[in-house]
Amino acid sequence: MLKVVKVRLYPDAQQQQLLAQAFGSCRWLWNYCLNLMNQTYKETGFGLSGYEVKKLIPQLKKEHDWLTLTYSQCLQQVCLNLGVAFNNFFQKRAKYPNFKSKHGKQSIQYPQNVKVADNHITFPKIGDISAIIHRPIDGKLKTVTISNNCSNQYFAAILFDDGKDKPHCCTDGKAIGIDLGLTHFAVTSDGSKFDNPRILNKHEKNLKIKQQQLSRKQKGSNKRIKSRKKVARVHRKITNCREDFLHKLSRRIVNENQVIVVENLNIKGMMQNHCLAKSIHQVGWGMFCTMLKYKAEMSGKIYQEVDRFFPSSKTCSMCLNQVGSLPLDVRFWACEKCQTKHDRDVNASINLRDEGLRILTSGTGDKACRPDVIRSNRGRKKSTTTFSVGQEAHTVPSGQCR
């Protein structure tokens, strides 16, 4: 099973200069090959693959001697990664590849010949770079990617194969539904509520001051470069706090549950609402779902997503009666049919859990949500079906079993 460990690097002044040269060489090669691919397509109507542009590296080294200072396999990996970027674009998994800038995050990738020790990592043409190895790396190394962020911090992402098989997923255990929101970051089907930390609001004043200082600096000056690093450090602090909160919460949920059900949210579409765009951007729903997914897969747990059009908030979890409209400002409502009083978020998480269990136990994985079909419960008696998940039995209304 493939795993990644990201460690902090502490290169000295000479190693930082060598890394800067490597970053610049790989960035120049990426831009050169991307421009060549664009020009070739305009002239001939056919593109170039990553393997075809990789054959140009020996000739480019003769024309530009400074390319020889960079490890050859790093340059080859640039061409291969560019080919993968185009494949992802044609498969509609990513946007069209862009040109890289010397401003912002920089990275290079080593496919082999990297050795990891207790307190340092050895790279070709650079030597031993001090590192903090906080987790054991037992297995065959695949790739090592060195990155440098805007705060001038160096990291190494080590991809390795531990030789173990992927754990088998089973449904023996507790099932939980999670409703994501803004007032409370997450509300679970068992009634637990986790507050939204609103990390950006805590650092917004400091960020505003640093950005105002940056706007007053003359472009191209050394003071502007120093001021830009101060702004980057504030953004890095916000990112670290957000990731720390999401990692801890996702790990807790994965450890305590076997089946995790969330809603497949259209975050990009929700960002179109200018009243909520800033709050949605800082909360990190997409990152949280990604963490839940890969941690559940590594632990042998089940991660299930429910269709975004499933009316989890507007459906009564007791009698399946669905209300016509439920504005966002209504947090508590009572069912007109069974008179059950609902907390909007808790009711939604319960419906998500039941729908996720229905999908898992149906055998086909088909979704029950049909927005164009109106469900009616008139003249029917409520019946229930019990699904056994491990040692716990979950009773789901029959309307959600079809």
mmCIF file of all heavy atoms in Angstrom, residues 29-38 48-51 53-54 75-90 96-100 109:
data_model
loop_
_atom_site.group_PDB
_atom_site.id
_atom_site.type_symbol
_atom_site.label_atom_id
_atom_site.label_comp_id
_atom_site.label_asym_id
_atom_site.label_seq_id
_atom_site.Cartn_x
_atom_site.Cartn_y
_atom_site.Cartn_z
ATOM 1 N N LEU A 29 12.342 24.455 -17.793
ATOM 2 C CA LEU A 29 12.076 23.335 -18.696
ATOM 3 C C LEU A 29 10.576 23.106 -18.862
ATOM 4 O O LEU A 29 10.095 22.815 -19.970
ATOM 5 C CB LEU A 29 12.765 22.076 -18.175
ATOM 6 C CG LEU A 29 12.623 20.820 -19.040
ATOM 7 C CD1 LEU A 29 13.236 21.055 -20.419
ATOM 8 C CD2 LEU A 29 13.274 19.620 -18.356
ATOM 9 N N TRP A 30 9.822 23.222 -17.782
ATOM 10 C CA TRP A 30 8.356 23.081 -17.854
ATOM 11 C C TRP A 30 7.770 24.125 -18.802
ATOM 12 O O TRP A 30 6.967 23.798 -19.691
ATOM 13 C CB TRP A 30 7.761 23.214 -16.460
ATOM 14 C CG TRP A 30 6.270 23.252 -16.409
ATOM 15 C CD1 TRP A 30 5.465 24.306 -16.727
ATOM 16 C CD2 TRP A 30 5.382 22.184 -16.048
ATOM 17 N NE1 TRP A 30 4.138 23.989 -16.560
ATOM 18 C CE2 TRP A 30 4.053 22.684 -16.146
ATOM 19 C CE3 TRP A 30 5.579 20.877 -15.637
ATOM 20 C CZ2 TRP A 30 2.940 21.908 -15.858
ATOM 21 C CZ3 TRP A 30 4.465 20.093 -15.333
ATOM 22 C CH2 TRP A 30 3.166 20.597 -15.449
ATOM 23 N N ASN A 31 8.156 25.385 -18.630
ATOM 24 C CA ASN A 31 7.622 26.457 -19.477
ATOM 25 C C ASN A 31 8.047 26.288 -20.927
ATOM 26 O O ASN A 31 7.260 26.546 -21.851
ATOM 27 C CB ASN A 31 8.073 27.811 -18.943
ATOM 28 C CG ASN A 31 7.473 28.137 -17.582
ATOM 29 O OD1 ASN A 31 6.437 27.586 -17.202
ATOM 30 N ND2 ASN A 31 8.122 29.011 -16.843
ATOM 31 N N TYR A 32 9.289 25.852 -21.147
ATOM 32 C CA TYR A 32 9.776 25.648 -22.512
ATOM 33 C C TYR A 32 8.987 24.542 -23.213
ATOM 34 O O TYR A 32 8.545 24.703 -24.363
ATOM 35 C CB TYR A 32 11.265 25.309 -22.479
ATOM 36 C CG TYR A 32 11.851 25.021 -23.846
ATOM 37 C CD1 TYR A 32 12.324 26.049 -24.651
ATOM 38 C CD2 TYR A 32 11.934 23.714 -24.322
ATOM 39 C CE1 TYR A 32 12.854 25.794 -25.907
ATOM 40 C CE2 TYR A 32 12.463 23.448 -25.576
ATOM 41 C CZ TYR A 32 12.925 24.486 -26.361
ATOM 42 O OH TYR A 32 13.449 24.223 -27.606
ATOM 43 N N CYS A 33 8.805 23.423 -22.520
ATOM 44 C CA CYS A 33 8.084 22.295 -23.128
ATOM 45 C C CYS A 33 6.609 22.618 -23.328
ATOM 46 O O CYS A 33 6.015 22.234 -24.344
ATOM 47 C CB CYS A 33 8.245 21.050 -22.253
ATOM 48 S SG CYS A 33 9.932 20.424 -22.151
ATOM 49 N N LEU A 34 6.015 23.328 -22.390
ATOM 50 C CA LEU A 34 4.600 23.704 -22.531
ATOM 51 C C LEU A 34 4.415 24.647 -23.714
ATOM 52 O O LEU A 34 3.460 24.503 -24.498
ATOM 53 C CB LEU A 34 4.109 24.353 -21.240
ATOM 54 C CG LEU A 34 2.652 24.824 -21.223
ATOM 55 C CD1 LEU A 34 1.704 23.677 -21.529
ATOM 56 C CD2 LEU A 34 2.307 25.449 -19.873
ATOM 57 N N ASN A 35 5.320 25.610 -23.869
ATOM 58 C CA ASN A 35 5.241 26.517 -25.015
ATOM 59 C C ASN A 35 5.448 25.766 -26.329
ATOM 60 O O ASN A 35 4.763 26.035 -27.325
ATOM 61 C CB ASN A 35 6.278 27.618 -24.864
ATOM 62 C CG ASN A 35 6.251 28.602 -26.018
ATOM 63 O OD1 ASN A 35 5.290 29.338 -26.207
ATOM 64 N ND2 ASN A 35 7.318 28.618 -26.824
ATOM 65 N N LEU A 36 6.382 24.788 -26.317
ATOM 66 C CA LEU A 36 6.610 23.998 -27.524
ATOM 67 C C LEU A 36 5.384 23.169 -27.890
ATOM 68 O O LEU A 36 5.025 23.062 -29.077
ATOM 69 C CB LEU A 36 7.822 23.090 -27.308
ATOM 70 C CG LEU A 36 8.212 22.174 -28.477
ATOM 71 C CD1 LEU A 36 8.601 23.001 -29.693
ATOM 72 C CD2 LEU A 36 9.348 21.244 -28.063
ATOM 73 N N MET A 37 4.718 22.603 -26.901
ATOM 74 C CA MET A 37 3.503 21.834 -27.156
ATOM 75 C C MET A 37 2.401 22.716 -27.731
ATOM 76 O O MET A 37 1.683 22.322 -28.670
ATOM 77 C CB MET A 37 3.024 21.172 -25.866
ATOM 78 C CG MET A 37 3.897 20.021 -25.386
ATOM 79 S SD MET A 37 3.260 19.311 -23.850
ATOM 80 C CE MET A 37 4.302 17.860 -23.700
ATOM 81 N N ASN A 38 2.254 23.917 -27.176
ATOM 82 C CA ASN A 38 1.227 24.837 -27.679
ATOM 83 C C ASN A 38 1.508 25.259 -29.115
ATOM 84 O O ASN A 38 0.599 25.290 -29.963
ATOM 85 C CB ASN A 38 1.148 26.064 -26.770
ATOM 86 C CG ASN A 38 0.643 25.733 -25.381
ATOM 87 O OD1 ASN A 38 -0.019 24.719 -25.177
ATOM 88 N ND2 ASN A 38 0.961 26.580 -24.417
ATOM 89 N N LEU A 48 2.278 17.033 -28.544
ATOM 90 C CA LEU A 48 3.447 16.226 -28.200
ATOM 91 C C LEU A 48 3.209 15.571 -26.850
ATOM 92 O O LEU A 48 2.590 16.160 -25.956
ATOM 93 C CB LEU A 48 4.706 17.096 -28.147
ATOM 94 C CG LEU A 48 5.131 17.776 -29.451
ATOM 95 C CD1 LEU A 48 6.312 18.701 -29.182
ATOM 96 C CD2 LEU A 48 5.489 16.740 -30.502
ATOM 97 N N SER A 49 3.704 14.374 -26.697
ATOM 98 C CA SER A 49 3.580 13.660 -25.429
ATOM 99 C C SER A 49 4.768 13.997 -24.530
ATOM 100 O O SER A 49 5.759 14.595 -24.963
ATOM 101 C CB SER A 49 3.520 12.154 -25.679
ATOM 102 O OG SER A 49 4.750 11.682 -26.212
ATOM 103 N N GLY A 50 4.658 13.594 -23.282
ATOM 104 C CA GLY A 50 5.753 13.837 -22.353
ATOM 105 C C GLY A 50 7.020 13.093 -22.729
ATOM 106 O O GLY A 50 8.138 13.588 -22.509
ATOM 107 N N TYR A 51 6.881 11.908 -23.303
ATOM 108 C CA TYR A 51 8.055 11.135 -23.719
ATOM 109 C C TYR A 51 8.751 11.777 -24.921
ATOM 110 O O TYR A 51 9.976 11.676 -25.065
ATOM 111 C CB TYR A 51 7.638 9.702 -24.054
ATOM 112 C CG TYR A 51 7.203 8.913 -22.851
ATOM 113 C CD1 TYR A 51 5.854 8.803 -22.509
ATOM 114 C CD2 TYR A 51 8.128 8.287 -22.030
ATOM 115 C CE1 TYR A 51 5.439 8.089 -21.408
ATOM 116 C CE2 TYR A 51 7.734 7.569 -20.914
ATOM 117 C CZ TYR A 51 6.385 7.469 -20.610
ATOM 118 O OH TYR A 51 5.986 6.770 -19.498
ATOM 119 N N VAL A 53 8.895 15.106 -25.652
ATOM 120 C CA VAL A 53 9.660 16.295 -25.243
ATOM 121 C C VAL A 53 10.833 15.914 -24.345
ATOM 122 O O VAL A 53 11.813 16.665 -24.251
ATOM 123 C CB VAL A 53 8.735 17.308 -24.531
ATOM 124 C CG1 VAL A 53 7.682 17.841 -25.467
ATOM 125 C CG2 VAL A 53 8.092 16.695 -23.296
ATOM 126 N N LYS A 54 10.762 14.748 -23.709
ATOM 127 C CA LYS A 54 11.878 14.317 -22.864
ATOM 128 C C LYS A 54 13.128 14.041 -23.698
ATOM 129 O O LYS A 54 14.262 14.196 -23.221
ATOM 130 C CB LYS A 54 11.474 13.064 -22.082
ATOM 131 C CG LYS A 54 12.500 12.645 -21.030
ATOM 132 C CD LYS A 54 12.021 11.453 -20.234
ATOM 133 C CE LYS A 54 12.071 10.191 -21.070
ATOM 134 N NZ LYS A 54 11.831 8.973 -20.268
ATOM 135 N N LEU A 75 14.905 16.562 -14.305
ATOM 136 C CA LEU A 75 14.486 17.174 -15.560
ATOM 137 C C LEU A 75 13.583 16.232 -16.349
ATOM 138 O O LEU A 75 12.588 16.660 -16.945
ATOM 139 C CB LEU A 75 15.709 17.551 -16.390
ATOM 140 C CG LEU A 75 16.677 18.553 -15.744
ATOM 141 C CD1 LEU A 75 17.881 18.768 -16.647
ATOM 142 C CD2 LEU A 75 15.985 19.876 -15.458
ATOM 143 N N GLN A 76 13.921 14.953 -16.366
ATOM 144 C CA GLN A 76 13.079 13.989 -17.070
ATOM 145 C C GLN A 76 11.698 13.892 -16.439
ATOM 146 O O GLN A 76 10.683 13.776 -17.127
ATOM 147 C CB GLN A 76 13.758 12.622 -17.077
ATOM 148 C CG GLN A 76 15.072 12.581 -17.837
ATOM 149 C CD GLN A 76 15.785 11.259 -17.686
ATOM 150 O OE1 GLN A 76 15.221 10.283 -17.178
ATOM 151 N NE2 GLN A 76 17.041 11.200 -18.122
ATOM 152 N N GLN A 77 11.658 13.979 -15.108
ATOM 153 C CA GLN A 77 10.375 13.880 -14.413
ATOM 154 C C GLN A 77 9.490 15.077 -14.724
ATOM 155 O O GLN A 77 8.258 14.964 -14.726
ATOM 156 C CB GLN A 77 10.624 13.773 -12.909
ATOM 157 C CG GLN A 77 9.431 13.279 -12.116
ATOM 158 C CD GLN A 77 9.061 11.849 -12.445
ATOM 159 O OE1 GLN A 77 9.912 11.031 -12.776
ATOM 160 N NE2 GLN A 77 7.781 11.535 -12.345
ATOM 161 N N VAL A 78 10.088 16.239 -15.009
ATOM 162 C CA VAL A 78 9.305 17.419 -15.383
ATOM 163 C C VAL A 78 8.510 17.144 -16.655
ATOM 164 O O VAL A 78 7.310 17.443 -16.755
ATOM 165 C CB VAL A 78 10.229 18.637 -15.564
ATOM 166 C CG1 VAL A 78 9.469 19.792 -16.200
ATOM 167 C CG2 VAL A 78 10.795 19.074 -14.231
ATOM 168 N N CYS A 79 9.174 16.545 -17.657
ATOM 169 C CA CYS A 79 8.494 16.247 -18.922
ATOM 170 C C CYS A 79 7.394 15.210 -18.727
ATOM 171 O O CYS A 79 6.309 15.333 -19.306
ATOM 172 C CB CYS A 79 9.511 15.754 -19.946
ATOM 173 S SG CYS A 79 10.828 16.945 -20.315
ATOM 174 N N LEU A 80 7.660 14.203 -17.908
ATOM 175 C CA LEU A 80 6.643 13.181 -17.663
ATOM 176 C C LEU A 80 5.451 13.763 -16.914
ATOM 177 O O LEU A 80 4.293 13.431 -17.209
ATOM 178 C CB LEU A 80 7.254 12.023 -16.883
ATOM 179 C CG LEU A 80 8.397 11.271 -17.586
ATOM 180 C CD1 LEU A 80 8.922 10.151 -16.695
ATOM 181 C CD2 LEU A 80 7.949 10.706 -18.918
ATOM 182 N N ASN A 81 5.722 14.623 -15.948
ATOM 183 C CA ASN A 81 4.626 15.253 -15.205
ATOM 184 C C ASN A 81 3.801 16.158 -16.100
ATOM 185 O O ASN A 81 2.580 16.281 -15.932
ATOM 186 C CB ASN A 81 5.181 16.054 -14.037
ATOM 187 C CG ASN A 81 5.747 15.170 -12.936
ATOM 188 O OD1 ASN A 81 5.424 13.982 -12.851
ATOM 189 N ND2 ASN A 81 6.606 15.733 -12.107
ATOM 190 N N LEU A 82 4.442 16.815 -17.072
ATOM 191 C CA LEU A 82 3.701 17.642 -18.012
ATOM 192 C C LEU A 82 2.778 16.797 -18.881
ATOM 193 O O LEU A 82 1.634 17.186 -19.162
ATOM 194 C CB LEU A 82 4.669 18.432 -18.883
ATOM 195 C CG LEU A 82 4.058 19.422 -19.880
ATOM 196 C CD1 LEU A 82 3.189 20.446 -19.162
ATOM 197 C CD2 LEU A 82 5.143 20.113 -20.684
ATOM 198 N N GLY A 83 3.249 15.619 -19.273
ATOM 199 C CA GLY A 83 2.384 14.711 -20.021
ATOM 200 C C GLY A 83 1.203 14.235 -19.206
ATOM 201 O O GLY A 83 0.074 14.133 -19.709
ATOM 202 N N VAL A 84 1.438 13.968 -17.912
ATOM 203 C CA VAL A 84 0.345 13.563 -17.023
ATOM 204 C C VAL A 84 -0.651 14.700 -16.852
ATOM 205 O O VAL A 84 -1.869 14.480 -16.793
ATOM 206 C CB VAL A 84 0.914 13.120 -15.663
ATOM 207 C CG1 VAL A 84 -0.216 12.861 -14.661
ATOM 208 C CG2 VAL A 84 1.759 11.858 -15.825
ATOM 209 N N ALA A 85 -0.154 15.942 -16.791
ATOM 210 C CA ALA A 85 -1.045 17.099 -16.649
ATOM 211 C C ALA A 85 -1.969 17.225 -17.852
ATOM 212 O O ALA A 85 -3.161 17.534 -17.714
ATOM 213 C CB ALA A 85 -0.220 18.373 -16.472
ATOM 214 N N PHE A 86 -1.447 16.976 -19.062
ATOM 215 C CA PHE A 86 -2.293 17.037 -20.251
ATOM 216 C C PHE A 86 -3.302 15.885 -20.262
ATOM 217 O O PHE A 86 -4.457 16.061 -20.678
ATOM 218 C CB PHE A 86 -1.435 17.002 -21.514
ATOM 219 C CG PHE A 86 -0.988 18.361 -21.972
ATOM 220 C CD1 PHE A 86 0.287 18.818 -21.693
ATOM 221 C CD2 PHE A 86 -1.855 19.190 -22.663
ATOM 222 C CE1 PHE A 86 0.691 20.075 -22.116
ATOM 223 C CE2 PHE A 86 -1.461 20.447 -23.087
ATOM 224 C CZ PHE A 86 -0.179 20.890 -22.813
ATOM 225 N N ASN A 87 -2.881 14.706 -19.819
ATOM 226 C CA ASN A 87 -3.826 13.585 -19.743
ATOM 227 C C ASN A 87 -4.956 13.883 -18.778
ATOM 228 O O ASN A 87 -6.131 13.575 -19.051
ATOM 229 C CB ASN A 87 -3.095 12.313 -19.330
ATOM 230 C CG ASN A 87 -2.152 11.808 -20.406
ATOM 231 O OD1 ASN A 87 -2.347 12.088 -21.587
ATOM 232 N ND2 ASN A 87 -1.134 11.062 -20.017
ATOM 233 N N ASN A 88 -4.631 14.489 -17.644
ATOM 234 C CA ASN A 88 -5.673 14.866 -16.684
ATOM 235 C C ASN A 88 -6.608 15.913 -17.269
ATOM 236 O O ASN A 88 -7.816 15.912 -16.987
ATOM 237 C CB ASN A 88 -5.038 15.394 -15.405
ATOM 238 C CG ASN A 88 -4.316 14.319 -14.624
ATOM 239 O OD1 ASN A 88 -4.642 13.135 -14.731
ATOM 240 N ND2 ASN A 88 -3.322 14.708 -13.847
ATOM 241 N N PHE A 89 -6.062 16.815 -18.095
ATOM 242 C CA PHE A 89 -6.908 17.832 -18.729
ATOM 243 C C PHE A 89 -7.869 17.191 -19.730
ATOM 244 O O PHE A 89 -9.069 17.509 -19.746
ATOM 245 C CB PHE A 89 -6.041 18.876 -19.428
ATOM 246 C CG PHE A 89 -6.804 19.773 -20.356
ATOM 247 C CD1 PHE A 89 -7.654 20.747 -19.861
ATOM 248 C CD2 PHE A 89 -6.680 19.641 -21.739
ATOM 249 C CE1 PHE A 89 -8.374 21.575 -20.716
ATOM 250 C CE2 PHE A 89 -7.392 20.462 -22.589
ATOM 251 C CZ PHE A 89 -8.239 21.430 -22.081
ATOM 252 N N PHE A 90 -7.363 16.273 -20.564
ATOM 253 C CA PHE A 90 -8.226 15.645 -21.566
ATOM 254 C C PHE A 90 -9.253 14.714 -20.927
ATOM 255 O O PHE A 90 -10.337 14.514 -21.474
ATOM 256 C CB PHE A 90 -7.372 14.874 -22.573
ATOM 257 C CG PHE A 90 -6.538 15.763 -23.464
ATOM 258 C CD1 PHE A 90 -5.171 15.596 -23.549
ATOM 259 C CD2 PHE A 90 -7.130 16.778 -24.187
ATOM 260 C CE1 PHE A 90 -4.406 16.422 -24.359
ATOM 261 C CE2 PHE A 90 -6.378 17.616 -25.002
ATOM 262 C CZ PHE A 90 -5.006 17.436 -25.087
ATOM 263 N N TYR A 96 -6.400 23.198 -17.833
ATOM 264 C CA TYR A 96 -5.288 23.196 -18.783
ATOM 265 C C TYR A 96 -4.016 23.618 -18.061
ATOM 266 O O TYR A 96 -4.021 24.539 -17.236
ATOM 267 C CB TYR A 96 -5.584 24.163 -19.924
ATOM 268 C CG TYR A 96 -4.644 24.038 -21.097
ATOM 269 C CD1 TYR A 96 -4.855 23.083 -22.082
ATOM 270 C CD2 TYR A 96 -3.531 24.869 -21.211
ATOM 271 C CE1 TYR A 96 -3.998 22.968 -23.160
ATOM 272 C CE2 TYR A 96 -2.668 24.765 -22.275
ATOM 273 C CZ TYR A 96 -2.911 23.798 -23.249
ATOM 274 O OH TYR A 96 -2.045 23.669 -24.314
ATOM 275 N N PRO A 97 -2.885 22.949 -18.333
ATOM 276 C CA PRO A 97 -1.628 23.286 -17.635
ATOM 277 C C PRO A 97 -1.224 24.738 -17.848
ATOM 278 O O PRO A 97 -1.317 25.274 -18.960
ATOM 279 C CB PRO A 97 -0.610 22.320 -18.259
ATOM 280 C CG PRO A 97 -1.418 21.196 -18.799
ATOM 281 C CD PRO A 97 -2.729 21.786 -19.229
ATOM 282 N N ASN A 98 -0.746 25.377 -16.791
ATOM 283 C CA ASN A 98 -0.326 26.770 -16.832
ATOM 284 C C ASN A 98 1.194 26.873 -16.786
ATOM 285 O O ASN A 98 1.885 25.934 -16.370
ATOM 286 C CB ASN A 98 -0.919 27.553 -15.656
ATOM 287 C CG ASN A 98 -2.421 27.672 -15.739
ATOM 288 O OD1 ASN A 98 -2.985 27.780 -16.828
ATOM 289 N ND2 ASN A 98 -3.084 27.654 -14.596
ATOM 290 N N PHE A 99 1.688 28.032 -17.181
ATOM 291 C CA PHE A 99 3.112 28.306 -17.042
ATOM 292 C C PHE A 99 3.429 28.568 -15.570
ATOM 293 O O PHE A 99 2.627 29.133 -14.836
ATOM 294 C CB PHE A 99 3.514 29.515 -17.889
ATOM 295 C CG PHE A 99 3.442 29.263 -19.368
ATOM 296 C CD1 PHE A 99 2.330 29.654 -20.098
ATOM 297 C CD2 PHE A 99 4.480 28.634 -20.030
ATOM 298 C CE1 PHE A 99 2.261 29.428 -21.471
ATOM 299 C CE2 PHE A 99 4.423 28.402 -21.394
ATOM 300 C CZ PHE A 99 3.314 28.788 -22.116
ATOM 301 N N LYS A 100 4.625 28.165 -15.158
ATOM 302 C CA LYS A 100 5.031 28.313 -13.769
ATOM 303 C C LYS A 100 5.772 29.624 -13.573
ATOM 304 O O LYS A 100 6.497 30.099 -14.460
ATOM 305 C CB LYS A 100 5.918 27.144 -13.349
ATOM 306 C CG LYS A 100 5.174 25.815 -13.284
ATOM 307 C CD LYS A 100 6.025 24.738 -12.672
ATOM 308 C CE LYS A 100 5.231 23.435 -12.530
ATOM 309 N NZ LYS A 100 6.033 22.363 -11.915
ATOM 310 N N GLN A 109 11.044 16.949 -8.223
ATOM 311 C CA GLN A 109 10.727 15.563 -7.870
ATOM 312 C C GLN A 109 11.898 14.652 -8.220
ATOM 313 O O GLN A 109 12.434 14.718 -9.333
ATOM 314 C CB GLN A 109 9.463 15.110 -8.606
ATOM 315 C CG GLN A 109 8.884 13.805 -8.095
ATOM 316 C CD GLN A 109 7.563 13.481 -8.768
ATOM 317 O OE1 GLN A 109 7.512 13.236 -9.956
ATOM 318 N NE2 GLN A 109 6.490 13.505 -7.987
#
